[in-house]
Amino acid sequence: MKLRTKRNYPQTFSDLDENLGIMMPILTECDVDEDFTEGVEKVGNVVPILPLRNMVLFPGVAMPVIIGRVKSMRLIKDAVKNKEMIGVVCQRMIETEEPGINDVYTTGVIADIVRVLELPDGNTTVILQGKKRFSLEELVSTEPYLTGKIRMLEDKMPEKSDREFEALVSSIKDLTIKMLASLSDPPRDLIYSLKSNKNVLYLINFSSSNIPNSAAEKQQLLMVDGLKDRAFRLLFILNREYQLIEMKAAIQMKTQEDINKQQKEYFLQQQIKTIQEELGGSINDIEVKELRKRAAKKKWSNAVAEVFEKEIKKLERLHPQSPDYSIQTQYVQTIVGLPWNEYSKDNFNLKHAQRVLDKDHYGLDKVKERIIEHLAVLKLKGDMKSPIICLYGPPGVGKTSLGKSVAEALNRKYVRVALGGLHDEAEIRGHRRTYIGAMSGRIIQGVNKAGTSNPVFILDEIDKVSSDFKGDPASALLEVLDPEQNFAFHDNYLDVDYDLSKVMFIATANNLNTISQPLLDRMELIEVSGYIMEEKVEICVRHLIPKQLEAHGIPKDTIKFPKKTLQKIVESYTRESGVRELDKKIAKIMRKVARKIASDEPVPSKLLPEDLQEYLGAVEYTRDKYQGNEYAGVVTGLAWTSVGGDILFVESSLSKGKGQKLTLTGNLGDVMKESAMLALEYIHAHAQLFAIPEEMFENWNVHVHVPEGAIPKDGPSAGITMVTSLVSAFTQRKVKKNIAMTGEMTLRGKVLPVGGIREKILAAKRAGIKEIILCSENKKDIEEINEEYLKGLTFHYVNDIQQVINIALLKEKVGGSLF
């Protein structure tokens, strides 16, 4: 075989200094029957092994390899010195520094070192020529370099008369030449060499070595024993790669056509611009003049004026067809559009404000009082930082709609931003202008929409703000809702400080537990508790019924709702703290009435309670009623729920059994279970006070049950109810008639205050309870309730459990004693 190169490479390491340069492609010319295995017979069973990264050598192919590893350099030096051939294998992973038998492919090629040269950058390059395939059986040693035991592999040649193989080789040659010719700088000498080369083994191996695919796929080709099978596999790969080249060329052609179209449009736009300039000015000039005219009326500071002037000059320099033109225009328009130091005049008439608040909302006295106080201070001082108010309470009580009434009372603009589900900090602070599609945050957009710098700004559902990889919006709100910081609020898009200190922020929330503590600390919390029965009836009469009559096109005096009817709707068809569900039920009735009117059917002038079955269907909810005191161990407790107050029963029973066993049922939470265990331990420790024999605890099992097991129940307020129930069960003493209780207890027998007193008291009254036992510290909660709602109730204020037992249990026993 004759080896031809573009340069004369040094034969030994001593010749390197005279022949430094860049490697050129190595071209070989082979005869048809050329044998690549010359000299392989001298190779023994153990040879030095050179592992290559991401390169596969094929028999008959000459390939330059850059030597980097110390062991590999040592191997090359010894092989050149001893004039011996080496084994070349490909690594499985490029990053492996010290490859073992499992880190290399076991099929490799015996190679002869043709040339060695050192390049100016310090690297050493070796030209290897493949001889024959081998199988690596095992590694004999790893020092000073890898040596391995090998077994030679034979290539299975097809018959000379195989016409199919000839066609395969011809197709491979044509495809290889096509791929080389498609390069931007095709190697003409290499293409000529391939055309004139008649050696089929060399052609197949050369194409296998030079196809632009992965080393793993080349290795698969090397592992194929039959030359015909290798040719089939190679042709499949060549076809795939050539199709990819054709697709790339088609894409480039299409892109070039699009660029030509853009150039054509650019020239046309230039002509339009020239015509506009002849007619009196371009669109750009007209727009800039309009922006300057608007800016002249602004009351902004010198710092903002400087920023505007800088940005408007930048806009003047931009071409209208520039991609940055629309971005710059939007930014300048945002600056000009904001109401810098523009305020609406507040209405300081306190009586007017009170009238507006009372007209729109029934009840909510604490909230109204706080708004009137703010107006009073503003009237006296003339200027103050607006407070941050947070209205929290159950859904449907009017938190959001209250903001509109506040804005009307103050004569301010009203802006609402829904924060539910917000998880991107940029929604609050805005995007930086470097982002595509950047815009200012919701706060600046709201102020821009209001047109004044002192609107009433409702931050709705602030407890439902979430966070993800885009940042934490709740943290961004800290600056917005801090009166000491928001006078210089920094929006990332605006990039100029904006004064929010005159904005009256009102946040709404259902649950304070999901709001971060720093954010809570910046807000004044005002609870908007659920409405009681009487308030809901009044809201129906004043607001809901007139609204639904108008919404359904029904004349005002067509149908009337007596208060008893409204009470039944509230009690039997809704279960909520607010009035949203109640509004839906009124709307449902109105639809039935509207249908009757449209069908010329008679409509009752009054809707009585017994008529509700026709309009609303069967009763949906039934409230618990007091059930008497015929059984020992059954005590009535008071509970708070998200839809108002309710009564619950605690039932205790005893059954004979060895050892003390406490069973709790009724879907109780951990705190309520602990209250039951605490109650039993307290009774056991003070058994003598209740005249309970000690053996009762050893021979009787205790079962405590709270009915309605499908409803989860938790909280400490049933503590004294549990003790009373258990004492009644152990002693068989009757429970006093029409009495209920609520309160937490300690292991020492102290009674602690609980919450939700207002809702619990009203639930007790609806259930027919006459007497209520409370902690003495809850007396202040009773004093805040309207006396009209407390008529017929007697309150017992206690400090320890002994007082509870003395009040709640009678001396009379039910059916005798258990002992």
Side-chain angles (χ1 to χ4, degrees), residues 503-728:
V503 178
M504 186 173 187
F505 288 102
I506 299 178
T508 70
N510 298 128
N511 184 9
L512 296 182
N513 296 330
T514 58
I515 304 176
S516 65
Q517 193 58 43
L519 196 55
L520 275 178
D521 189 54
R522 284 163 167 78
M523 298 187 292
E524 180 181 343
L525 302 176
I526 299 177
E527 182 180 7
V528 185
S529 58
Y531 297 110
I532 60 176
M533 164 80 75
E534 290 77 6
E535 288 175 336
K536 287 184 179 180
V537 170
E538 197 64 35
I539 291 169
C540 254
V541 173
R542 294 189 182 194
H543 301 287
L544 302 185
I545 293 174
K547 182 182 81 171
Q548 293 299 342
L549 283 170
E550 183 181 352
H552 291 82
I554 301 172
K556 191 173 182 181
D557 298 323
T558 302
I559 187 169
K560 295 192 178 297
F561 290 76
K563 287 198 174 182
K564 286 186 178 180
T565 304
L566 295 175
Q567 287 174 357
K568 186 170 181 182
I569 295 174
V570 172
E571 280 193 353
S572 302
Y573 292 94
T574 66
R575 180 162 285 183
E576 58 176 346
S577 293
V579 292
R580 193 168 286 148
E581 189 66 25
L582 180 58
D583 191 30
K584 292 178 184 177
K585 297 301 180 186
I586 299 295
K588 186 175 181 179
I589 293 172
M590 294 301 178
R591 288 196 297 272
K592 302 273 187 185
V593 173
R595 180 180 176 180
K596 288 191 174 187
I597 294 173
S599 303
D600 296 326
E601 295 178 19
V603 177
S605 58
K606 279 188 180 181
L607 190 67
L608 301 176
E610 52 267 25
D611 297 330
L612 291 176
Q613 179 89 13
E614 178 188 350
Y615 289 88
L616 294 177
V619 170
E620 297 179 21
Y621 305 103
T622 56
R623 292 192 174 273
D624 289 328
K625 297 294 182 183
Y626 178 69
Q627 298 175 357
N629 66 339
E630 288 77 18
Y631 302 96
V634 180
V635 181
T636 306
L638 299 175
W640 178 91
T641 69
S642 61
V643 294
D646 209 344
I647 66 170
L648 57 80
F649 300 101
V650 176
E651 303 174 350
S652 299
S653 67
L654 304 179
S655 59
K656 282 198 172 185
K658 288 294 181 182
Q660 182 181 349
K661 180 183 176 184
L662 175 63
T663 305
L664 303 173
T665 55
N667 201 353
L668 308 182
D670 291 339
V671 177
M672 209 162 180
K673 288 178 181 178
E674 290 170 1
S675 295
M677 290 186 284
L678 180 67
L680 185 58
E681 288 299 322
Y682 175 80
I683 295 170
H684 195 169
H686 300 82
Q688 293 180 350
L689 292 175
F690 306 114
I692 303 173
E694 184 65 31
E695 57 268 18
M696 286 285 293
F697 298 98
E698 298 176 2
N699 300 321
W700 295 82
N701 294 328
V702 181
H703 187 161
V704 177
H705 176 66
V706 183
E708 295 187 70
I711 301 173
K713 310 169 192 72
D714 202 6
S717 60
I720 64 172
T721 315
M722 296 271 192
V723 176
T724 307
S725 175
L726 287 170
V727 172
S728 174

Side-chain angles (χ1 to χ4, degrees), residues 2 100 166 183 236 290 337 362 365 380 384 393 409 560 577 618 628 647 671 715 743 774 806:
K2 303 170 186 177
E166 288 182 20
L183 298 174
F236 170 81
E290 182 64 29
Y362 182 78
D365 295 329
L380 294 176
M384 66 174 289
K560 295 192 178 297
S577 293
I647 66 170
V671 177
L774 294 168
N806 293 336

Side-chain angles (χ1 to χ4, degrees), residues 134-397:
F134 68 84
S135 175
L136 179 62
E137 304 290 337
E138 61 177 316
L139 288 179
V140 176
S141 65
T142 58
E143 296 295 338
Y145 40 76
L146 297 180
T147 57
K149 184 178 179 181
I150 66 169
R151 174 174 56 84
M152 294 296 181
L153 299 175
E154 298 295 334
D155 287 323
K156 296 178 182 178
M157 302 294 292
E159 298 292 333
K160 290 187 178 181
S161 60
D162 192 338
R163 303 289 292 171
E164 186 180 36
F165 181 67
E166 288 182 20
L168 266 175
V169 174
S170 178
S171 299
I172 289 171
K173 180 190 287 190
D174 292 342
L175 270 176
T176 305
I177 291 171
K178 280 182 180 180
M179 291 177 70
L180 291 172
S182 66
L183 298 174
S184 57
D185 185 15
R188 302 188 184 281
D189 291 341
L190 184 58
I191 292 172
Y192 176 79
S193 174
L194 283 173
K195 285 181 178 178
S196 60
N197 204 309
K198 301 292 176 40
N199 191 306
V200 293
L201 181 60
Y202 174 78
L203 282 171
I204 292 172
N205 288 344
F206 178 85
S207 295
S208 300
S209 177
N210 288 279
I211 51 176
N213 63 338
S214 65
E217 201 164 22
K218 290 179 181 178
Q219 182 67 35
Q220 294 297 324
L221 285 171
L222 182 66
M223 292 165 65
V224 177
D225 292 332
L227 194 61
K228 188 174 181 179
D229 293 337
R230 191 185 304 168
F232 267 117
R233 178 64 185 161
L234 174 61
L235 185 59
F236 170 81
I237 296 171
L238 286 172
N239 272 312
R240 184 190 68 197
E241 296 299 327
Y242 187 68
Q243 286 174 11
L244 183 63
I245 290 172
E246 287 183 325
M247 286 172 62
K248 288 181 179 178
I251 291 170
Q252 288 177 350
M253 287 292 292
K254 186 178 179 181
T255 308
Q256 185 65 37
E257 288 175 5
D258 290 343
I259 292 172
N260 292 338
K261 183 180 178 183
Q262 289 178 5
Q263 289 175 342
K264 180 181 178 182
E265 290 177 353
Y266 173 75
F267 287 123
L268 289 173
Q269 292 291 346
Q270 286 293 102
Q271 291 176 359
I272 291 172
K273 182 184 175 184
T274 304
I275 294 169
Q276 287 174 340
E277 288 176 352
E278 291 293 329
L279 293 173
S282 66
I283 296 174
N284 188 15
D285 294 338
I286 297 170
E287 195 165 7
V288 169
K289 287 178 184 178
E290 182 64 29
L291 289 170
R292 287 190 181 279
K293 187 177 179 181
R294 290 173 60 191
K297 301 175 183 178
K298 290 293 173 183
K299 303 174 184 178
W300 51 33
S301 63
N302 293 332
V304 180
E306 289 176 7
V307 171
F308 171 78
E309 190 61 32
K310 174 185 172 185
E311 298 297 333
I312 199 74
K313 285 181 178 178
K314 190 185 295 184
L315 179 63
E316 286 176 327
R317 292 193 297 270
L318 287 173
H319 190 276
Q321 299 305 313
S322 169
D324 295 332
Y325 181 80
S326 60
I327 298 172
Q328 187 67 16
T329 304
Q330 181 185 352
Y331 176 69
V332 175
Q333 287 176 343
T334 301
I335 293 181
V336 175
L338 283 170
W340 301 90
N341 298 320
E342 297 175 18
Y343 305 102
S344 59
K345 189 176 180 181
D346 287 331
N347 185 350
F348 296 123
N349 188 332
L350 302 185
K351 291 182 179 179
H352 165 75
Q354 189 70 55
R355 280 197 304 272
V356 171
L357 294 173
D358 289 340
K359 175 175 69 72
D360 294 342
H361 292 80
Y362 182 78
L364 306 178
D365 295 329
K366 284 186 179 180
V367 184
K368 294 175 184 177
E369 185 181 354
R370 179 65 190 84
I371 302 301
I372 299 299
E373 287 172 359
H374 170 69
L375 269 177
V377 176
L378 198 60
K379 182 177 182 179
L380 294 176
K381 191 172 183 292
D383 182 29
M384 66 174 289
K385 290 180 179 177
S386 289
I388 312 299
I389 296 172
C390 179
L391 307 175
Y392 72 96
V397 294

Side-chain angles (χ1 to χ4, degrees), residues 417-422 428 442 459-462 464-466 477:
V417 172
L419 299 179
L422 200 71
I428 304 298
R442 296 274 191 96
L459 299 171
D460 214 4
E461 309 290 358
I462 198 171
K464 295 174 181 62
V465 173
S466 57
L477 284 170

